[in-house]
Amino acid sequence: INSLKQNFNLTEYDRPSEIIKFNEDTIIVAGYLEELSDSTPRYDKKTNVIYKTIDGGKNWKVVMFDGDAWIYDTYHKEDGKIWMGGSDNVIHYSDDFGETWERKIKPFDPVNRVLSLFMVDSLYGIAGGLSNGLAITYDNWNTSIQIESPIDQKKFQILKQSARDRIGKIAIVDSLILINQNDYIFYSKVADIDWKKFNVPVSDFQIIEEKKQIDLYSRNGKHFVIDSDLHLIKSYQIDDTFWVPIKDD
């Protein structure tokens, strides 16, 4: 990032927040990034670029995508496929390590900013919105199917004027969807959307894709690793110094 900022004189307005790392050499940076090479005033510029290096950050180049977005989330596969979503409501797709880009659909109805993305394979994936959107695709975002969220199913409530209905994290493992909405963690079967909470207090999750396992983060550094049938594989403890003073509370 320091190398990138020096090469392109990025300012405090630029946000290189999303890093896509294929290997030690090939890295792509996205986020809130404007094309800075011409004399157009900043307030008239589009946020329509990413930066790419193929030599581990020694040199960078600008790649433009057909959009105007603060990129909120990305997902990539090792074969060079990348999906990006953000403030222009569109999913942007590349199949050549970010060299060229294609505009896919606006996945949500009603239209909504794309906040979170997860792809099982090159066709099958799911996206979450900044304002309660939730959609699945089976054809790489040529079309999408709307599904109900936990808020839609009244699994919890928020104040009407609150913006905390965002879907900040999402994943699919086999037939199971996991979701973080308003810092509540829910799961449901894909074929029958019925959101449930885990029977332990879960604050976050991580997918171990190569093993098709789910690592649930609980309180006080406790972790539970489960499979997609919700069977416990193992549990382990990470010392969380933040919690040490109040563990007895």
Side-chain angles (χ1 to χ4, degrees), residues 13 27 49 52 116-117 164 167 200 237:
Y13 299 104
I27 302 164
V49 304
K52 180 178 179 179
S116 53
L117 282 167
R164 299 298 294 165
I167 297 173
V200 294
Q237 181 79 34

Side-chain angles (χ1 to χ4, degrees), residues 27-172:
I27 302 164
I28 290 171
V29 174
Y32 185 81
L33 298 168
E34 298 168 322
E35 211 284 298
L36 301 174
S37 63
D38 59 32
S39 58
T40 305
R42 175 176 283 276
Y43 53 79
D44 283 337
K45 290 180 182 293
K46 289 185 175 181
T47 49
N48 62 347
V49 304
I50 60 171
Y51 294 101
K52 180 178 179 179
T53 178
I54 57 173
D55 56 13
K58 295 186 180 78
N59 298 282
W60 294 88
K61 72 174 182 178
V62 174
V63 179
M64 300 182 71
F65 63 92
D66 185 16
D68 184 8
W70 186 332
I71 298 300
Y72 298 147
D73 197 20
T74 66
Y75 197 87
H76 72 281
K77 298 289 188 182
E78 294 305 313
D79 63 357
K81 295 181 177 67
I82 309 170
W83 295 263
M84 303 193 306
S87 61
D88 64 356
N89 313 317
V90 176
I91 291 178
H92 301 276
Y93 172 67
S94 172
D95 62 2
D96 56 6
F97 294 89
E99 289 293 321
T100 59
W101 290 88
E102 173 187 354
R103 283 172 66 95
K104 293 293 185 177
I105 62 168
K106 296 180 179 180
F108 306 119
D109 183 17
V111 172
N112 194 346
R113 296 185 179 196
V114 181
L115 186 63
S116 53
L117 282 167
F118 186 91
M119 297 298 296
V120 178
D121 54 38
S122 60
L123 297 175
Y124 175 33
I126 192 166
L130 184 67
S131 300
N132 195 39
L134 194 56
I136 284 181
T137 186
Y138 295 98
D139 59 7
N140 191 19
W141 302 112
N142 292 316
T143 62
S144 64
I145 300 168
Q146 309 302 305
I147 60 177
E148 289 187 322
S149 72
I151 282 185
D152 294 329
Q153 294 187 346
K154 296 182 169 49
K155 301 298 182 177
F156 70 96
Q157 292 183 332
I158 59 172
L159 297 174
K160 286 185 178 179
Q161 287 151 1
S162 171
R164 299 298 294 165
D165 56 357
R166 63 182 59 195
I167 297 173
K169 192 172 189 178
I170 199 162
I172 297 177

Side-chain angles (χ1 to χ4, degrees), residues 200-204 215-224 235-249:
V200 294
V202 177
S203 61
D204 200 0
D215 189 344
L216 302 175
Y217 302 2
S218 186
R219 293 178 180 169
N220 299 345
K222 188 75 171 179
H223 286 244
F224 299 92
S235 63
Y236 63 97
Q237 181 79 34
I238 290 180
D239 185 24
D240 189 342
T241 55
F242 175 78
W243 288 101
V244 169
I246 55 173
K247 276 185 178 179
D248 293 333
D249 185 357

Side-chain angles (χ1 to χ4, degrees), residues 147-213:
I147 60 177
E148 289 187 322
S149 72
I151 282 185
D152 294 329
Q153 294 187 346
K154 296 182 169 49
K155 301 298 182 177
F156 70 96
Q157 292 183 332
I158 59 172
L159 297 174
K160 286 185 178 179
Q161 287 151 1
S162 171
R164 299 298 294 165
D165 56 357
R166 63 182 59 195
I167 297 173
K169 192 172 189 178
I170 199 162
I172 297 177
V173 181
D174 286 336
S175 62
L176 196 71
I177 306 175
L178 286 95
I179 189 174
N180 182 335
Q181 185 168 34
N182 193 28
D183 295 327
Y184 293 102
I185 310 300
F186 291 92
Y187 68 90
S188 173
K189 292 292 185 180
V190 177
D192 181 20
I193 301 298
D194 181 18
W195 296 104
K196 295 180 173 66
K197 288 184 179 180
F198 292 97
N199 61 359
V200 294
V202 177
S203 61
D204 200 0
F205 63 88
Q206 193 68 38
I207 306 303
I208 310 169
E209 291 191 54
E210 63 274 12
K211 296 181 179 180
K212 294 189 176 181
Q213 295 175 355

